[in-house]
mmCIF file of all heavy atoms in Angstrom:
data_model
loop_
_atom_site.group_PDB
_atom_site.id
_atom_site.type_symbol
_atom_site.label_atom_id
_atom_site.label_comp_id
_atom_site.label_asym_id
_atom_site.label_seq_id
_atom_site.Cartn_x
_atom_site.Cartn_y
_atom_site.Cartn_z
ATOM 1 N N ARG A 3 14.588 21.516 3.702
ATOM 2 C CA ARG A 3 13.626 22.341 4.427
ATOM 3 C C ARG A 3 12.935 21.614 5.565
ATOM 4 O O ARG A 3 12.610 22.206 6.579
ATOM 5 C CB ARG A 3 12.585 22.871 3.446
ATOM 6 C CG ARG A 3 13.189 23.801 2.427
ATOM 7 C CD ARG A 3 12.167 24.231 1.422
ATOM 8 N NE ARG A 3 11.025 24.849 2.054
ATOM 9 C CZ ARG A 3 9.889 25.079 1.401
ATOM 10 N NH1 ARG A 3 9.769 24.738 0.157
ATOM 11 N NH2 ARG A 3 8.895 25.655 2.030
ATOM 12 N N VAL A 4 12.786 20.315 5.384
ATOM 13 C CA VAL A 4 12.048 19.606 6.412
ATOM 14 C C VAL A 4 12.866 19.393 7.679
ATOM 15 O O VAL A 4 12.323 19.244 8.752
ATOM 16 C CB VAL A 4 11.541 18.261 5.848
ATOM 17 C CG1 VAL A 4 11.012 17.383 6.945
ATOM 18 C CG2 VAL A 4 10.450 18.546 4.851
ATOM 19 N N THR A 5 14.177 19.418 7.531
ATOM 20 C CA THR A 5 14.985 19.189 8.724
ATOM 21 C C THR A 5 14.924 20.384 9.686
ATOM 22 O O THR A 5 15.334 20.280 10.823
ATOM 23 C CB THR A 5 16.459 18.912 8.351
ATOM 24 O OG1 THR A 5 16.915 20.006 7.573
ATOM 25 C CG2 THR A 5 16.606 17.614 7.595
ATOM 26 N N SER A 6 14.436 21.532 9.222
ATOM 27 C CA SER A 6 14.375 22.685 10.121
ATOM 28 C C SER A 6 12.951 22.861 10.645
ATOM 29 O O SER A 6 12.280 23.812 10.317
ATOM 30 C CB SER A 6 14.807 23.942 9.383
ATOM 31 O OG SER A 6 13.994 24.130 8.250
ATOM 32 N N LEU A 7 12.519 21.880 11.412
ATOM 33 C CA LEU A 7 11.141 21.945 11.899
ATOM 34 C C LEU A 7 10.968 22.908 13.060
ATOM 35 O O LEU A 7 11.917 23.311 13.687
ATOM 36 C CB LEU A 7 10.682 20.547 12.297
ATOM 37 C CG LEU A 7 10.226 19.753 11.081
ATOM 38 C CD1 LEU A 7 9.932 18.335 11.474
ATOM 39 C CD2 LEU A 7 8.998 20.381 10.447
ATOM 40 N N LEU A 8 9.747 23.221 13.263
ATOM 41 C CA LEU A 8 9.419 24.237 14.250
ATOM 42 C C LEU A 8 10.042 23.989 15.622
ATOM 43 O O LEU A 8 10.609 24.871 16.214
ATOM 44 C CB LEU A 8 7.899 24.319 14.409
ATOM 45 C CG LEU A 8 7.139 24.655 13.131
ATOM 46 C CD1 LEU A 8 5.642 24.608 13.388
ATOM 47 C CD2 LEU A 8 7.557 26.010 12.592
ATOM 48 N N ASP A 9 9.967 22.726 16.091
ATOM 49 C CA ASP A 9 10.442 22.486 17.445
ATOM 50 C C ASP A 9 11.943 22.716 17.571
ATOM 51 O O ASP A 9 12.421 23.199 18.573
ATOM 52 C CB ASP A 9 10.060 21.084 17.936
ATOM 53 C CG ASP A 9 10.496 19.998 16.986
ATOM 54 O OD1 ASP A 9 10.953 20.317 15.866
ATOM 55 O OD2 ASP A 9 10.388 18.832 17.374
ATOM 56 N N ARG A 10 12.689 22.379 16.507
ATOM 57 C CA ARG A 10 14.132 22.615 16.561
ATOM 58 C C ARG A 10 14.439 24.112 16.556
ATOM 59 O O ARG A 10 15.453 24.545 17.058
ATOM 60 C CB ARG A 10 14.815 21.950 15.376
ATOM 61 C CG ARG A 10 14.780 20.444 15.536
ATOM 62 C CD ARG A 10 15.649 19.772 14.520
ATOM 63 N NE ARG A 10 15.270 18.373 14.448
ATOM 64 C CZ ARG A 10 15.646 17.557 13.508
ATOM 65 N NH1 ARG A 10 16.404 17.985 12.534
ATOM 66 N NH2 ARG A 10 15.262 16.310 13.527
ATOM 67 N N ALA A 11 13.557 24.873 15.985
ATOM 68 C CA ALA A 11 13.758 26.323 15.959
ATOM 69 C C ALA A 11 13.305 26.950 17.277
ATOM 70 O O ALA A 11 13.372 28.160 17.444
ATOM 71 C CB ALA A 11 12.984 26.916 14.798
ATOM 72 N N GLY A 12 12.791 26.093 18.148
ATOM 73 C CA GLY A 12 12.406 26.606 19.452
ATOM 74 C C GLY A 12 10.954 27.036 19.554
ATOM 75 O O GLY A 12 10.475 27.397 20.630
ATOM 76 N N THR A 13 10.244 26.965 18.438
ATOM 77 C CA THR A 13 8.838 27.369 18.471
ATOM 78 C C THR A 13 7.985 26.170 18.894
ATOM 79 O O THR A 13 8.233 25.065 18.415
ATOM 80 C CB THR A 13 8.398 27.818 17.063
ATOM 81 O OG1 THR A 13 9.405 28.681 16.542
ATOM 82 C CG2 THR A 13 7.053 28.511 17.088
ATOM 83 N N PRO A 14 7.029 26.381 19.765
ATOM 84 C CA PRO A 14 6.214 25.232 20.187
ATOM 85 C C PRO A 14 5.502 24.589 18.989
ATOM 86 O O PRO A 14 4.997 25.301 18.123
ATOM 87 C CB PRO A 14 5.188 25.854 21.139
ATOM 88 C CG PRO A 14 5.681 27.216 21.452
ATOM 89 C CD PRO A 14 6.610 27.632 20.368
ATOM 90 N N VAL A 15 5.511 23.271 18.958
ATOM 91 C CA VAL A 15 4.825 22.557 17.878
ATOM 92 C C VAL A 15 3.384 22.297 18.315
ATOM 93 O O VAL A 15 3.160 21.834 19.428
ATOM 94 C CB VAL A 15 5.552 21.224 17.588
ATOM 95 C CG1 VAL A 15 4.810 20.420 16.547
ATOM 96 C CG2 VAL A 15 6.971 21.505 17.150
ATOM 97 N N PRO A 16 2.414 22.577 17.469
ATOM 98 C CA PRO A 16 1.024 22.339 17.847
ATOM 99 C C PRO A 16 0.775 20.866 18.152
ATOM 100 O O PRO A 16 1.550 20.002 17.731
ATOM 101 C CB PRO A 16 0.236 22.764 16.597
ATOM 102 C CG PRO A 16 1.173 23.563 15.776
ATOM 103 C CD PRO A 16 2.548 23.117 16.121
#
Side-chain angles (χ1 to χ4, degrees):
R3 295 176 56 193
V4 169
T5 56
S6 57
L7 278 173
L8 301 176
D9 53 352
R10 290 190 197 167
T13 314
V15 176

